[in-house]
């Protein structure tokens, strides 16, 4: 399954470039103020970003003084990330790794970050949480900034109307039942893409996995991002689109 997912991400890598060099060079941030506040002062922080794709968040942190290791399954995305780092003159340790089978030496991090559609590629949340917890220093923190699982299962059906298009409790999904939940680069494309399997991890499942792994939940905030429900109208700000969670290793 991981290999199938890798082939899928490699297939869409050429069209997925992330933020422009100009944007990042002129001080643009790939992280929101809320995300940055939760991560804390990046100066000197040892950060591991999981499922980093082209590494825009890592580039933002490295430009602000963090020592970043960024891992992803797909070489095509990492290549783009390395090119961007070189153009910006920042050092990031980009590694091709499956986040379910990270190299043992990737440990002792102050922060682990996963964001923007990374967590749905974790096939076994409980095992993943235990592994990540073990890679944090005591006092270190995992920061999860993710699509809300409710957003993952709701499809806009017109103004003030939603369809339940996936199973909040069903976890594994083959492909995307709602193509608008797939990476933006695939929208409207007729290209045949490799089969892939991702997961919907409910809020309860995430919190329970982290707590069972010995982490202490520090904050969990859900919020609305109306542009993630295009066509829903004004009610789009009454349902969650994303969440931001911080959990610390005691
Ligand atoms: C939506 S992107 C991640 C989001 C990233 N923060 C961004 O905004 O670009 C999902 C990434 O997860 C990676 N991925 C999928 N399964 C993975 C795995 N088992 N280990 C590491 N990376 C994985 C894919 O290659 C892809 O680059």
């Amino acid at each position: 399954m991981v290999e199938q997912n890798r082939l899928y991400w490699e297939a869409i890598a050429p069209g997925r470039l992330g933020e422009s060099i100009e944007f990042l060079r002129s001080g643009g941030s790939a992280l929101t103020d809320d995300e940055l506040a939760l991560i804390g002062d990046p100066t000197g922080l040892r950060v591991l970003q999981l499922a980093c794709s082209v590494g825009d968040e890592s580039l933002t942190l490295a430009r602000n003084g963090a020592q970043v290791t960024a891992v992803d399954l797909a070489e095509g995305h990492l290549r783009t990330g390395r090119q961007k780092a070189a153009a910006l003159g920042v050092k990031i340790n980009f590694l091709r790794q499956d986040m379910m089978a990270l190299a043992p030496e990737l440990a002792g991090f102050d922060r682990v970050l996963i964001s923007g559609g990374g967590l749905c590629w974790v096939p076994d949340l409980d095992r993943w949480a235990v592994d990540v917890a073990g890679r944090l220093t005591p006092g270190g923190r995992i920061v999860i900034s993710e699509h809300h699982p409710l957003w993952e299962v709701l499809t806009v059906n017109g103004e003030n109307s939603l369809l339940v298009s996936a199973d909040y409790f069903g976890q594994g999904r083959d492909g995307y039942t709602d193509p608008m939940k797939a990476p933006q680069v695939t929208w409207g494309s007729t290209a045949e893409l490799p089969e892939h399997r991702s997961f919907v991890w409910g809020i309860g499942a995430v919190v329970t996995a982290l707590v069972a792994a010995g982490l202490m939940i520090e904050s969990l905030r859900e919020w609305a991002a109306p542009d993630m429900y295009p066509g829903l109208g004004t009610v789009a700000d009454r349902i969650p689109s994303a969440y931001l969670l911080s959990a610390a290793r005691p």
Side-chain angles (χ1 to χ4, degrees):
M1 174 183 56
V2 172
E3 177 57 10
Q4 272 303 123
N5 289 345
R6 187 186 70 76
L7 294 174
Y8 171 76
W9 280 101
E10 291 291 11
I12 61 176
R16 198 164 188 277
L17 304 177
E19 300 291 357
S20 70
I21 299 286
E22 292 69 33
F23 171 78
L24 295 166
R25 187 177 284 135
S26 63
S29 174
L31 290 159
T32 64
D33 289 347
D34 288 335
E35 290 168 331
L36 286 168
L38 215 51
I39 291 167
D41 180 0
T43 315
L45 273 188
R46 286 200 64 201
V47 178
L48 172 65
Q49 185 179 6
L50 299 173
C52 68
S53 188
V54 298
D56 286 344
E57 295 93 342
S58 286
L59 289 164
T60 296
L61 291 171
R63 270 176 75 77
N64 288 289
Q67 298 168 41
V68 185
T69 298
V71 305
D72 198 275
L73 198 54
E75 191 55 41
H77 294 268
L78 294 167
R79 199 177 308 122
T80 303
R82 287 189 195 105
Q83 286 164 359
K84 290 171 115 172
L88 291 167
V90 295
K91 230 180 91 192
I92 293 181
N93 187 20
F94 279 110
L95 297 173
R96 191 171 98 70
Q97 302 250 325
D98 172 6
M99 65 178 150
M100 295 304 296
L102 294 172
E105 62 270 21
L106 297 184
F109 291 97
D110 303 306
R111 301 287 180 271
V112 171
L113 172 68
I114 189 161
S115 70
L119 196 68
C120 65
W121 299 95
V122 168
D124 181 337
L125 194 63
D126 295 333
R127 190 161 70 75
W128 176 84
V130 169
D131 185 74
V132 167
R135 292 173 195 276
L136 287 167
T137 51
R141 203 181 285 160
I142 177 163
V143 173
I144 301 178
S145 181
E146 272 301 348
H147 303 154
H148 200 287
L150 201 57
W151 173 83
E152 296 276 12
V153 304
L154 295 178
T155 291
V156 176
N157 187 40
E159 186 149 341
N160 200 6
S161 174
L162 289 162
L163 291 174
V164 179
S165 55
D167 186 352
Y168 188 93
F169 304 105
Q171 299 175 352
R173 56 183 176 185
D174 293 316
Y176 293 92
T177 38
D178 175 355
M180 297 300 280
K181 309 297 180 194
Q184 200 166 347
V185 62
T186 65
W187 296 357
S189 160
T190 51
E192 193 71 27
L193 289 169
E195 282 177 22
H196 46 283
R197 186 169 173 79
S198 59
F199 295 79
V200 175
W201 294 117
I203 295 288
V206 173
V207 167
T208 302
L210 296 173
V211 170
L215 299 177
M216 211 173 64
I217 308 291
E218 295 181 313
S219 65
L220 168 57
R221 198 163 72 75
E222 302 161 283
W223 77 87
D227 58 340
M228 285 175 70
Y229 291 102
L232 186 59
T234 52
V235 292
D237 62 6
R238 298 189 196 166
I239 48 175
S241 310
Y243 70 95
L244 185 54
L245 181 153
S246 163
R249 177 173 169 179

